[in-house]
Amino acid sequence: MAKKVDALDQNGFRRFGMLDKLSYAAGDAGCNCSFALAGTWFTLFWTQFMKIDSLAFAALLIVFKVWDAINDTLIGAIMDSSKKQYKRGKFLSYIAFGSILLAVAACLCFLPIKGAEMWVKVLVCTIGYVAWDAAYTIVNVPYGSMLSVITAEPGERAQLGAWRTLGSLVVSIPVGVILPMILYDENKNVKGELLFPVAVILGVIALAMFWFMIKTTVIRVKSDVKVSEEKFNFFKSVKAFAQNRAAIGATLQPVGMFIGTYGAATASTVMFQSYFGQPELSGLITLVSVLPMVIFVPFTKKLTLKYGKKESSAV
C-alpha cells in the first residue's frame, strides 16, 4: 500500500517521471512520421514522378503557404472558442481526432495517379496538402499547448521539451537516412509508386505513437482559460495581429525556420540526385544536421534552470 501512495503526488496524480517523458516524446514522433516524409518527398513526388510543371508547382506552393497562415488562425480560433466538455480533455480529444485525419491525409498526398489528367493531378495535390496541413495543425497546436498542463514545474517542463526533441529525432533520423537509400532506381529517378505504401506504414506507426501518448498522458494542471463570448472575426484578428509586434516577432522565427529547413532539405536532396549522382547519400545531411541537437538535449534542464528558458533558447 505504501508503494502505491508514494507513486502519487499530493494531488493524487501519478508522480511525474519517465513515463511522462516517453509519452510526450511519442507525440512528436507521431507528428514527424508525417512531417519528415512530406518535408522533402512531397515536392519530389509531384514534380519528378507525377510530372507537374515546376513553375505550376511553385505557384501551388505559394497558395499552400497562404493557406498555412489562414489554416492556423482558423483552427486555433475554433479550438479556443470551443465550449464542449471533452471526456479526455480538449487537448487530447483534438489530438485523437486529428491523428486519424493526419494519417489519411498523408496517404492522399502520395496517391500514385501517374496516368491521370493534369488537372486531376493538380486537384489531388491541392486537396491532399490542404487536408494534411489542417490535420497537422489540429494535432500539433494542442500537442504543444499540452506541455503547460502536464506539469507546473519549470524543470520538468524543460525535460518534456527536451524529450519532445528526442521524439522527433527518433523518427526524422531513420526516415531521412533510410528513405533516400530505397526510393531511387538505378537511373537515380524517384520511385514514386513506393511513397504511398511508405506513407501508409508511417501513418500506422504515427497512430500507435499518438494513442500511446493519449493513453498515458496525465493532466496535472487545471487550465483556467475562459472562453470568450465574442464571435470570432477572422479579418479583425488579422488586423490585430498585424499591429502586435510581439506576435509578429514570435511568428517570424518559426516561419523562417520552416522555410530554411524545408528549402535546405529539398535542395540538398536534388543536389545529390542531379549533381553528385548519388541521391542515396543525401540522408547523411540529415544525420549531420541533427547530431548537435542530440548532444545538446541532455543539458536542457540544467541550462533552463540556471539561465532561464529565453536565454537557453537563444543559445
Side-chain angles (χ1 to χ4, degrees):
M1 181 65 71
K3 290 185 178 179
K4 290 185 178 180
V5 173
D6 291 340
L8 303 178
D9 61 19
Q10 59 184 2
N11 296 315
F13 296 112
R14 185 187 72 219
R15 289 190 181 279
F16 182 87
M18 182 56 69
L19 184 56
D20 294 280
K21 301 171 191 177
L22 291 173
S23 177
Y24 199 67
D28 215 41
C31 289
N32 274 276
C33 280
S34 182
F35 190 81
L37 181 65
T40 298
W41 297 98
F42 181 79
T43 297
L44 298 180
F45 176 79
W46 288 102
T47 56
Q48 295 189 11
F49 181 73
M50 299 299 290
K51 304 298 183 182
I52 292 182
D53 180 74
S54 298
L55 289 177
F57 189 79
L60 281 177
L61 283 181
I62 294 175
V63 175
F64 293 161
K65 294 306 111 182
V66 172
W67 163 247
D68 285 345
I70 298 174
N71 161 68
D72 291 351
T73 304
L74 287 177
I75 293 180
I78 291 172
M79 291 181 181
D80 289 341
S81 61
S82 176
K83 301 178 182 178
K84 184 178 178 180
Q85 297 298 317
Y86 298 91
K87 183 179 179 180
R88 296 189 182 94
K90 181 185 291 189
F91 295 146
L92 291 176
S93 296
Y94 272 107
I95 292 172
F97 166 72
S99 63
I100 299 172
L101 181 59
L102 183 63
V104 174
C107 295
L108 185 60
C109 287
F110 296 99
L111 277 180
I113 50 172
K114 198 171 183 179
E117 296 289 337
M118 186 56 65
W119 70 269
V120 176
K121 295 179 182 179
V122 172
L123 181 62
V124 172
C125 174
T126 303
I127 293 175
Y129 184 88
V130 168
W132 175 83
D133 192 50
Y136 191 83
T137 301
I138 292 173
V139 170
N140 201 251
V141 168
Y143 169 72
S145 302
M146 198 168 62
L147 183 147
S148 64
V149 297
I150 293 177
T151 175
E153 295 296 325
E156 292 174 352
R157 289 183 178 181
Q159 291 180 65
L160 289 178
W163 278 82
R164 174 179 183 171
T165 302
L166 285 176
S168 69
L169 296 179
V170 165
V171 172
S172 60
I173 290 177
V175 169
V177 174
I178 295 174
L179 289 189
M181 297 180 181
I182 64 176
L183 289 179
Y184 290 97
D185 59 24
E186 62 277 5
N187 297 317
K188 314 302 178 185
N189 296 317
V190 177
K191 296 179 182 178
E193 68 279 358
L194 294 182
L195 278 165
F196 181 78
V198 167
V200 172
I201 293 171
L202 289 176
V204 172
I205 295 173
L207 283 174
M209 294 288 186
F210 282 125
W211 282 91
F212 169 74
M213 183 198 70
I214 290 168
K215 294 294 185 180
T216 56
T217 294
V218 175
I219 303 300
R220 299 178 178 85
V221 181
K222 183 178 179 181
S223 176
D224 296 323
V225 178
K226 296 181 179 180
V227 178
S228 174
E229 298 294 334
E230 184 179 355
K231 188 175 180 180
F232 174 69
N233 186 309
F234 174 75
F235 297 102
K236 184 178 179 180
S237 298
V238 171
K239 182 179 179 181
F241 171 79
Q243 296 174 344
N244 190 325
R245 294 176 60 186
I248 294 175
T251 302
L252 288 178
Q253 185 271 333
V255 169
M257 183 178 69
F258 175 79
I259 293 174
T261 54
Y262 182 86
T266 305
S268 64
T269 301
V270 173
M271 180 180 68
F272 273 88
Q273 179 190 30
S274 59
Y275 184 76
F276 294 114
Q278 294 181 301
E280 66 277 4
L281 298 181
S282 61
L284 295 177
I285 298 296
T286 300
L287 182 60
V288 172
S289 65
V290 299
L291 280 179
M293 288 189 286
V294 177
I295 297 172
F296 185 76
V297 163
F299 304 101
T300 303
K301 179 184 177 181
K302 292 182 179 179
L303 288 172
T304 302
L305 291 176
K306 186 174 182 179
Y307 300 107
K309 183 182 291 187
K310 292 182 179 179
E311 290 76 7
S312 299
S313 299
V315 173

